[in-house]
Amino acid sequence: MTSTPHSPPAHTPLVEPGGPQRTTLSFTTPSGRRRTAPVRFGRESRRDPLLPQWIRKGLLDDEGQQCLQVRLTGSAAANPAARALLDAEAGTALHLHRVLDTTEYAPLFPKVIGYELDTAEPFLLYAAPRGEPAVRTHVMSAFDQPRFARDLMLALCLLDGQGLVLRGISPANVLWDGTSVQLWGLEGVARAGRPRTRWGRAPYCSPEQRGGEGFADSRDMVWSAAQVLYQLATGRAGPPDGAPA
């Protein structure tokens, strides 16, 4: 996917004081169809203090569909590294859509509604997240833990089957709705076998991942999942340099 930094923005904001931001949004759907829809956006926030993307919840008024926009500002989009990060996330989201959309496993990952990358302020549009980040749970009940672990490991197996390694798994991007998991953080996906680059935070990323040593491996995801499960079972973080008890 190529980008043209000097293209006009794909949305024109109409801001009302004290109200939501009203915008007409044009984007491409996963099927390749162009769609233009009125949308109302809420307050914007940083997705992660260390990452360039911003996020905001919205409502597509033509279908009453709740959504989440992940976007880059014009200044961030001028940075090739930031553009590459969003392009990689879009590629992963669309690939998973093609592979899983008609299967029972699709809800394990964010559902992409559309994207617009060849613009001055590129963005991805997802269906609203399902559930709450696990970081908001201090200790998960013994009843929920096996179902949470089952879904999390199933999601990792599906990624491994596609040759993908999701770096940066943490309680902040594993969502739980009381019944099943939804795994976010697709900006952290790398191809298995590629040289590792520094990514993630202790204790959720492996020491090798944190140091950018060796090559991306599905065991990096298993390390992160084990740390997440340990914290939800005990209420405390595991050791950053060794496997949790």
Side-chain angles (χ1 to χ4, degrees), residues 89-100:
E89 179 177 357
T92 299
L94 292 169
H95 176 75
L96 292 176
H97 175 86
R98 288 191 296 268
V99 172
L100 302 175

Side-chain angles (χ1 to χ4, degrees), residues 72-125:
L72 296 177
T73 63
S75 58
N79 183 332
R83 281 258 179 179
L85 201 61
L86 191 67
D87 285 349
E89 179 177 357
T92 299
L94 292 169
H95 176 75
L96 292 176
H97 175 86
R98 288 191 296 268
V99 172
L100 302 175
D101 186 51
T102 59
T103 74
E104 62 185 299
Y105 307 121
L108 291 171
F109 300 97
K111 178 179 177 60
V112 63
I113 297 174
Y115 59 93
E116 187 62 50
L117 302 177
D118 296 330
T119 183
E121 296 184 356
F123 65 87
L124 279 169
L125 203 62

